[in-house]
Amino acid sequence: GAGVSQSPSNKVTEKGKDVELRCDPISGHTALYWYRQSLGQGLEFLIYFQGNSAPDKSGLPSDRFSAERTGGSVSTLTIQRTQQEDSAVYLCASRGTIISYEQYFGPGTRLTVT
Amino acid sequence: GQSLEQPSEVTAVEGAIVQINCTYQTSGFYGLSWYQQHDGGAPTFLSYNGLDGLEETGRFSSFLSRSDSYGYLLLQELQMKDSASYFCAVRRNSGNTPLVFGKGTRLSVIA
């Protein structure tokens, strides 16, 4: 089937505006992750959803960041009052089962805050 | 805290062999993964080591030594298309918890 998809692929916004980034995981995958990747850097964990459990929000850098996952499928990452330091590529990944060790990544959303 | 150390850049000649090392210090360790990322692309899974030793997948092999908190990715018969960033990532437990990624090694393959 289809892989992980994300939209938009690129987003330019003005400082102070709110943005929403969307992730469609692979159908049937129970685990969904959001990571952030700044230029030339590794992947920084933001938030993790596993089935119907409460999400692990321990990686969110501030209370301006939030995410939800509806119906155990699509997820939306919301950044309120964007700042220039929020500029990065936001990657979503999903994983099927606990015995599977591969995370499947989407193509990312490149966010630029001007 | 969690830390994974890998070289920031490596350059190698087409057809040669290159080894990218990764040392880790994490709270919990269950296995080590390697991901490849081309410029502008998504990270893609290459290899996973849950046990000590060597795992081979075509031209790529990965090694793990738990006692040394160390692993490496070995790329043989390098091709120009192997130019990319390579990330090691620690799986900290048997569940679905997030991976902890290194900062990546940028590999440049030259003719």
Side-chain angles (χ1 to χ4, degrees):
Chain A
V4 178
S5 62
Q6 293 185 244
S7 61
S9 55
N10 281 285
K11 176 72 176 179
V12 180
T13 189
E14 292 180 353
K15 177 181 171 181
K17 301 279 190 184
D18 298 352
V19 295
E20 286 190 351
L21 312 179
R22 177 187 169 105
C23 171
D24 282 86
I26 293 173
S27 178
H29 277 194
T30 58
L32 186 148
Y33 313 82
W34 284 97
Y35 294 90
R36 177 169 73 174
Q37 185 174 32
S38 301
L39 188 63
Q41 297 296 309
L43 281 70
E44 174 191 6
F45 162 69
L46 297 176
I47 188 168
Y48 152 60
F49 297 88
Q50 172 61 58
N52 295 321
S53 303
D56 176 355
K57 305 179 183 180
S58 60
L60 294 178
S62 79
D63 59 6
R64 295 186 296 105
F65 288 72
S66 63
E68 63 177 20
R69 188 179 185 190
T70 53
S73 180
V74 171
S75 177
T76 302
L77 176 70
T78 301
I79 309 173
Q80 295 179 310
R81 305 181 301 282
T82 52
Q83 304 294 312
Q84 288 187 329
E85 61 261 29
D86 299 335
S87 296
V89 175
Y90 290 80
L91 290 160
C92 174
S94 69
R95 184 170 159 199
T97 63
I98 287 178
I99 62 172
S100 164
Y101 38 73
E102 180 175 353
Q103 289 187 6
Y104 295 82
F105 283 85
T109 293
R110 181 175 298 277
L111 175 66
T112 303
V113 181
T114 60
Chain B
Q2 329 284 353
S3 73
L4 285 82
E5 298 292 329
Q6 50 181 132
S8 57
E9 293 183 3
V10 173
T11 300
V13 177
E14 191 176 15
I17 299 173
V18 70
Q19 178 174 313
I20 299 173
N21 298 321
C22 173
T23 57
Y24 57 86
Q25 272 191 312
T26 55
S27 57
F29 179 86
Y30 194 78
L32 187 71
S33 295
W34 289 91
Y35 284 77
Q36 177 191 60
Q37 185 180 32
H38 286 97
D39 285 348
T44 56
F45 173 80
L46 287 178
S47 185
Y48 175 77
N49 292 77
L51 301 173
D52 283 359
L54 195 66
E55 292 284 338
E56 297 180 78
T57 310
R59 295 188 295 114
F60 294 179
S61 302
S62 59
F63 173 82
L64 175 64
S65 168
R66 288 169 170 264
S67 60
D68 295 320
S69 298
Y70 163 75
Y72 66 71
L73 179 69
L74 190 74
L75 297 83
Q76 302 181 72
E77 300 171 17
L78 281 173
Q79 302 175 9
M80 301 299 283
K81 67 179 182 179
D82 297 330
S83 293
S85 292
Y86 293 84
F87 296 87
C88 57
V90 164
R91 181 182 178 187
R92 289 185 291 150
N93 55 48
S94 61
N96 261 338
T97 52
L99 299 175
V100 180
F101 283 85
K103 292 189 184 301
T105 298
R106 186 170 185 87
L107 171 65
S108 298
V109 180
I110 58 176

